[in-house]
Amino acid sequence: MSGDLFLFQQPCSPPGDVPDADLAYHRTFLAPADADTLLEALLALPDWRRERLHLFGRDLDAPRLTAWFGDPGVSYAYSGITHVAAGWPAPIAALRDRLAAALGVRFNAVLANRYRDGRDSMGWHSDDERELGRRPVIASLSLGAQRRFLLRHRSRKDLETLDLPLEHGSLLVMQGDTQRHWRHSLPKTTRCHAERVNLTFRKVRACSPSPSPS
Ligand SMILES: O=C(O)CCC(=O)C(=O)O
Ligand SMILES: [Mn+2]
Protein backbone atom coordinates (compact mmCIF):
# COMPACT_ATOMS: atom_id res chain seq x y z
CA MET A 1 0.00 0.00 0.00
CA SER A 2 1.47 3.31 -0.96
CA GLY A 3 1.01 6.62 0.82
CA ASP A 4 1.02 7.55 4.47
CA LEU A 5 -1.03 5.22 6.56
CA PHE A 6 -2.70 6.58 9.65
CA LEU A 7 -4.85 4.44 11.79
CA PHE A 8 -7.33 6.82 13.28
CA GLN A 9 -5.85 6.13 16.68
CA GLN A 10 -3.42 8.98 15.94
CA PRO A 11 -4.49 12.07 14.06
CA CYS A 12 -8.10 12.68 14.95
CA SER A 13 -10.09 13.76 17.91
CA PRO A 14 -10.55 12.11 20.35
CA PRO A 15 -7.06 10.62 20.47
CA GLY A 16 -6.73 6.96 21.30
CA ASP A 17 -8.63 3.98 20.04
CA VAL A 18 -11.90 4.38 18.20
CA PRO A 19 -14.18 1.84 19.89
CA ASP A 20 -16.23 -0.55 17.74
CA ALA A 21 -14.57 0.73 14.55
CA ASP A 22 -11.84 -0.38 12.20
CA LEU A 23 -10.68 2.65 10.20
CA ALA A 24 -7.55 3.32 8.21
CA TYR A 25 -6.75 6.48 6.32
CA HIS A 26 -4.20 6.49 3.49
CA ARG A 27 -3.59 10.17 2.96
CA THR A 28 -1.75 9.96 -0.34
CA PHE A 29 -3.10 6.73 -1.79
CA LEU A 30 -2.90 8.49 -5.18
CA ALA A 31 -0.12 10.89 -6.08
CA PRO A 32 -1.52 14.39 -6.70
CA ALA A 33 -0.99 14.25 -10.48
CA ASP A 34 -2.75 10.86 -10.71
CA ALA A 35 -5.58 12.14 -8.55
CA ASP A 36 -5.97 15.18 -10.86
CA THR A 37 -6.11 12.97 -13.97
CA LEU A 38 -8.62 10.61 -12.40
CA LEU A 39 -10.85 13.45 -11.23
CA GLU A 40 -10.90 14.94 -14.71
CA ALA A 41 -11.80 11.55 -16.24
CA LEU A 42 -14.60 10.98 -13.73
CA LEU A 43 -16.12 14.42 -14.20
CA ALA A 44 -16.28 13.74 -17.95
CA LEU A 45 -18.31 10.52 -17.57
CA PRO A 46 -21.85 10.73 -19.00
CA ASP A 47 -23.35 8.63 -16.19
CA TRP A 48 -24.00 11.23 -13.47
CA ARG A 49 -27.65 11.41 -12.39
CA ARG A 50 -29.59 13.32 -9.80
CA GLU A 51 -31.61 10.66 -8.03
CA ARG A 52 -35.06 10.98 -6.57
CA LEU A 53 -34.88 9.51 -3.05
CA HIS A 54 -37.76 8.07 -1.09
CA LEU A 55 -37.01 8.84 2.55
CA PHE A 56 -39.27 8.89 5.59
CA GLY A 57 -42.39 8.75 3.40
CA ARG A 58 -41.32 11.64 1.16
CA ASP A 59 -39.79 11.91 -2.30
CA LEU A 60 -36.95 14.39 -2.69
CA ASP A 61 -34.07 15.15 -5.05
CA ALA A 62 -30.75 13.85 -3.73
CA PRO A 63 -28.42 16.73 -2.81
CA ARG A 64 -25.64 15.36 -5.05
CA LEU A 65 -25.13 13.49 -8.34
CA THR A 66 -24.63 9.73 -8.35
CA ALA A 67 -23.43 6.93 -10.63
CA TRP A 68 -23.18 3.18 -10.05
CA PHE A 69 -20.63 0.94 -11.75
CA GLY A 70 -19.58 -2.68 -11.33
CA ASP A 71 -19.71 -6.19 -12.66
CA PRO A 72 -22.69 -6.36 -15.06
CA GLY A 73 -25.92 -7.07 -13.19
CA VAL A 74 -24.67 -6.31 -9.66
CA SER A 75 -27.47 -4.43 -7.99
CA TYR A 76 -27.78 -2.31 -4.89
CA ALA A 77 -30.88 -0.79 -3.34
CA TYR A 78 -31.27 2.04 -0.83
CA SER A 79 -33.73 4.85 -0.14
CA GLY A 80 -36.20 3.54 -2.70
CA ILE A 81 -33.63 3.38 -5.52
CA THR A 82 -32.20 0.29 -7.18
CA HIS A 83 -28.99 0.58 -9.14
CA VAL A 84 -27.96 -2.15 -11.59
CA ALA A 85 -24.35 -2.04 -12.79
CA ALA A 86 -23.54 -2.24 -16.49
CA GLY A 87 -19.74 -2.45 -16.32
CA TRP A 88 -16.62 -0.53 -15.32
CA PRO A 89 -15.19 2.63 -16.91
CA ALA A 90 -11.49 1.97 -17.54
CA PRO A 91 -10.04 4.35 -14.90
CA ILE A 92 -12.29 2.90 -12.18
CA ALA A 93 -11.46 -0.68 -13.19
CA ALA A 94 -7.76 0.17 -12.82
CA LEU A 95 -8.44 1.50 -9.33
CA ARG A 96 -10.45 -1.61 -8.44
CA ASP A 97 -7.47 -3.76 -9.43
CA ARG A 98 -5.08 -1.60 -7.42
CA LEU A 99 -7.32 -1.93 -4.37
CA ALA A 100 -7.46 -5.71 -4.82
CA ALA A 101 -3.65 -5.80 -4.73
CA ALA A 102 -3.42 -3.42 -1.77
CA LEU A 103 -6.27 -4.70 0.41
CA GLY A 104 -6.77 -8.27 -0.80
CA VAL A 105 -10.43 -7.54 -1.53
CA ARG A 106 -11.93 -7.86 -5.01
CA PHE A 107 -14.73 -5.28 -5.03
CA ASN A 108 -17.54 -5.94 -7.50
CA ALA A 109 -19.20 -2.51 -7.51
CA VAL A 110 -18.67 1.14 -6.70
CA LEU A 111 -21.03 3.95 -5.78
CA ALA A 112 -19.80 7.28 -7.12
CA ASN A 113 -21.02 10.51 -5.54
CA ARG A 114 -20.39 13.94 -6.98
CA TYR A 115 -20.76 16.97 -4.72
CA ARG A 116 -20.95 20.00 -7.00
CA ASP A 117 -20.10 22.40 -4.17
CA GLY A 118 -20.70 22.80 -0.43
CA ARG A 119 -24.49 22.80 -0.91
CA ASP A 120 -24.32 19.13 -1.87
CA SER A 121 -24.13 16.65 0.98
CA MET A 122 -24.95 13.20 2.30
CA GLY A 123 -27.09 12.60 5.38
CA TRP A 124 -26.40 10.34 8.35
CA HIS A 125 -26.41 6.65 7.47
CA SER A 126 -24.47 3.40 7.71
CA ASP A 127 -23.54 1.26 4.76
CA ASP A 128 -25.29 -1.68 6.36
CA GLU A 129 -27.58 -3.00 3.66
CA ARG A 130 -27.99 -6.75 3.87
CA GLU A 131 -26.34 -7.36 0.49
CA LEU A 132 -23.05 -5.91 1.83
CA GLY A 133 -22.81 -8.60 4.51
CA ARG A 134 -22.33 -8.28 8.27
CA ARG A 135 -18.84 -6.82 8.36
CA PRO A 136 -18.35 -5.05 5.02
CA VAL A 137 -15.08 -3.62 3.79
CA ILE A 138 -15.79 -0.22 2.22
CA ALA A 139 -12.92 1.54 0.45
CA SER A 140 -13.67 5.24 0.00
CA LEU A 141 -11.53 7.25 -2.40
CA SER A 142 -11.82 11.03 -2.35
CA LEU A 143 -10.97 13.44 -5.17
CA GLY A 144 -11.26 17.18 -5.55
CA ALA A 145 -12.36 19.56 -2.83
CA GLN A 146 -11.57 18.59 0.74
CA ARG A 147 -14.76 17.99 2.74
CA ARG A 148 -15.49 16.97 6.33
CA PHE A 149 -16.54 13.36 6.86
CA LEU A 150 -18.27 12.86 10.21
CA LEU A 151 -18.64 9.60 12.12
CA ARG A 152 -20.97 9.25 15.09
CA HIS A 153 -21.42 6.17 17.29
CA ARG A 154 -24.99 4.83 17.15
CA SER A 155 -25.47 4.35 20.89
CA ARG A 156 -22.41 5.63 22.83
CA LYS A 157 -23.33 9.25 23.49
CA ASP A 158 -20.13 9.64 25.53
CA LEU A 159 -18.03 9.38 22.35
CA GLU A 160 -17.24 12.51 20.38
CA THR A 161 -18.15 12.79 16.73
CA LEU A 162 -15.09 12.05 14.60
CA ASP A 163 -14.42 14.81 12.10
CA LEU A 164 -12.15 13.66 9.27
CA PRO A 165 -11.06 16.03 6.50
CA LEU A 166 -10.89 13.75 3.45
CA GLU A 167 -8.17 14.97 1.12
CA HIS A 168 -7.69 14.82 -2.67
CA GLY A 169 -6.25 11.39 -3.53
CA SER A 170 -6.92 9.87 -0.09
CA LEU A 171 -8.39 6.48 0.74
CA LEU A 172 -10.45 5.77 3.84
CA VAL A 173 -11.01 2.07 4.57
CA MET A 174 -13.89 1.24 6.89
CA GLN A 175 -14.27 -2.37 7.91
CA GLY A 176 -15.03 -4.81 10.73
CA ASP A 177 -17.88 -3.59 12.92
CA THR A 178 -17.67 0.05 11.78
CA GLN A 179 -20.97 0.02 9.87
CA ARG A 180 -22.78 -1.82 12.67
CA HIS A 181 -21.85 0.70 15.33
CA TRP A 182 -21.20 4.00 13.57
CA ARG A 183 -23.10 6.26 11.19
CA HIS A 184 -21.40 8.70 8.87
CA SER A 185 -22.32 11.83 6.93
CA LEU A 186 -20.90 14.55 4.71
CA PRO A 187 -22.40 17.84 5.94
CA LYS A 188 -23.19 20.90 3.85
CA THR A 189 -20.77 23.81 4.14
CA THR A 190 -20.78 27.41 2.95
CA ARG A 191 -16.97 27.32 2.63
CA CYS A 192 -16.62 24.95 -0.32
CA HIS A 193 -17.09 26.21 -3.88
CA ALA A 194 -15.39 23.37 -5.75
CA GLU A 195 -16.40 19.88 -6.83
CA ARG A 196 -15.63 16.69 -4.97
CA VAL A 197 -16.02 13.12 -6.22
CA ASN A 198 -16.08 10.16 -3.87
CA LEU A 199 -15.94 6.51 -4.90
CA THR A 200 -17.04 3.90 -2.36
CA PHE A 201 -15.96 0.45 -3.50
CA ARG A 202 -18.16 -2.34 -2.20
CA LYS A 203 -18.55 -6.08 -2.39
CA VAL A 204 -22.21 -6.77 -3.04
CA ARG A 205 -23.63 -10.25 -2.54
CA ALA A 206 -26.70 -11.47 -4.37
CA CYS A 207 -29.64 -11.43 -1.93
CA SER A 208 -32.92 -9.65 -1.42
CA PRO A 209 -32.38 -5.99 -0.62
CA SER A 210 -32.92 -4.52 2.84
CA PRO A 211 -35.00 -1.37 3.28
CA SER A 212 -32.54 0.72 5.35
CA PRO A 213 -32.03 4.29 4.09
CA SER A 214 -28.66 5.64 3.01
O1 LIG B 1 -18.74 11.14 0.04
C1 LIG B 1 -18.34 10.50 1.00
O2 LIG B 1 -17.22 10.64 1.49
C2 LIG B 1 -19.26 9.49 1.65
C3 LIG B 1 -20.04 8.66 0.69
C4 LIG B 1 -20.84 7.61 1.39
O3 LIG B 1 -20.95 7.58 2.58
C5 LIG B 1 -21.52 6.58 0.60
O4 LIG B 1 -21.43 6.57 -0.64
O5 LIG B 1 -22.18 5.73 1.22
MN1 LIG C 1 -21.81 5.65 3.27
XYZ file of all heavy atoms in Angstrom, residues 76 111 113 122-123 125-127 138 149 174 179 184-185 200 202 214, ligand 2:
141
model
N -27.885 -2.863 -6.227
C -27.778 -2.306 -4.886
C -28.974 -1.390 -4.687
O -29.268 -0.556 -5.547
C -26.467 -1.518 -4.804
C -26.112 -0.992 -3.443
C -26.011 -1.836 -2.347
C -25.837 0.356 -3.254
C -25.663 -1.348 -1.095
C -25.477 0.852 -2.016
C -25.393 -0.004 -0.942
O -25.039 0.482 0.291
N -20.080 2.839 -5.743
C -21.033 3.954 -5.781
C -20.222 5.238 -5.884
O -19.345 5.489 -5.056
C -21.899 3.960 -4.511
C -22.949 5.066 -4.430
C -23.988 4.933 -5.565
C -23.687 5.020 -3.084
N -20.241 9.327 -5.919
C -21.016 10.508 -5.537
C -20.256 11.753 -5.947
O -19.041 11.833 -5.738
C -21.252 10.528 -4.024
C -22.286 9.501 -3.611
O -23.450 9.598 -3.998
N -21.864 8.491 -2.867
N -24.345 14.515 2.074
C -24.954 13.199 2.303
C -25.349 13.103 3.766
O -24.546 13.437 4.653
C -23.995 12.068 1.930
C -24.696 10.721 2.022
S -23.752 9.337 1.426
C -23.703 9.637 -0.310
N -26.565 12.669 4.015
C -27.092 12.602 5.380
C -26.532 11.426 6.164
O -25.831 10.566 5.626
N -26.026 8.026 7.836
C -26.407 6.653 7.474
C -25.255 5.717 7.786
O -24.133 6.160 8.063
C -26.744 6.566 5.979
C -25.529 6.726 5.107
N -24.963 7.965 4.848
C -24.739 5.823 4.490
C -23.892 7.805 4.092
N -23.724 6.507 3.860
N -25.520 4.420 7.721
C -24.467 3.405 7.714
C -24.595 2.630 6.412
O -25.697 2.510 5.875
C -24.650 2.417 8.869
O -24.652 3.092 10.088
N -23.498 2.111 5.951
C -23.544 1.257 4.762
C -23.768 -0.170 5.262
O -22.848 -0.988 5.297
C -22.237 1.375 3.965
C -22.027 2.801 3.465
O -23.019 3.499 3.221
O -20.860 3.211 3.338
N -15.428 -1.312 3.135
C -15.788 -0.224 2.222
C -14.526 0.606 2.009
O -13.932 1.098 2.981
C -16.868 0.695 2.835
C -18.045 -0.106 3.397
C -17.287 1.774 1.846
C -19.166 -0.387 2.487
N -15.814 14.630 6.764
C -16.542 13.363 6.855
C -16.731 13.094 8.344
O -15.753 13.006 9.078
C -15.706 12.275 6.180
C -16.336 10.913 6.150
C -17.306 10.595 5.201
C -15.937 9.924 7.047
C -17.861 9.323 5.150
C -16.489 8.648 7.001
C -17.455 8.351 6.045
N -13.049 1.526 5.726
C -13.893 1.241 6.894
C -14.220 -0.241 6.836
O -14.683 -0.736 5.803
C -15.207 2.031 6.823
C -15.025 3.533 6.754
S -16.619 4.414 6.804
C -17.055 4.432 5.072
N -19.625 -0.323 10.365
C -20.974 0.021 9.875
C -22.063 -0.368 10.865
O -23.133 0.240 10.893
C -21.252 -0.635 8.512
C -20.240 -0.279 7.436
C -20.143 1.217 7.181
O -21.132 1.951 7.253
N -18.948 1.694 6.872
N -22.262 7.659 9.409
C -21.397 8.704 8.869
C -22.218 9.663 8.001
O -23.318 9.342 7.559
C -20.201 8.114 8.107
C -20.566 7.107 7.062
N -20.637 5.757 7.303
C -20.863 7.266 5.750
C -20.979 5.121 6.187
N -21.114 6.019 5.236
N -21.637 10.827 7.761
C -22.318 11.834 6.925
C -21.291 12.793 6.328
O -20.151 12.881 6.799
C -23.336 12.639 7.748
O -22.671 13.512 8.634
N -17.057 4.912 -3.426
C -17.042 3.902 -2.358
C -17.138 2.520 -3.011
O -18.199 2.140 -3.533
C -18.176 4.083 -1.333
O -19.399 4.305 -2.006
C -17.887 5.217 -0.375
N -17.390 -1.416 -3.033
C -18.163 -2.342 -2.197
C -18.144 -3.743 -2.797
O -17.944 -3.896 -4.000
C -19.629 -1.882 -2.126
C -19.804 -0.509 -1.494
C -20.964 0.249 -2.104
N -20.941 1.646 -1.675
C -21.693 2.142 -0.702
N -22.569 1.383 -0.089
N -21.588 3.410 -0.350
N -30.062 5.251 3.071
C -28.664 5.638 3.012
C -28.566 7.054 2.517
O -29.382 7.498 1.751
C -27.908 4.712 2.086
O -26.554 5.036 2.059
Mn -21.812 5.647 3.266
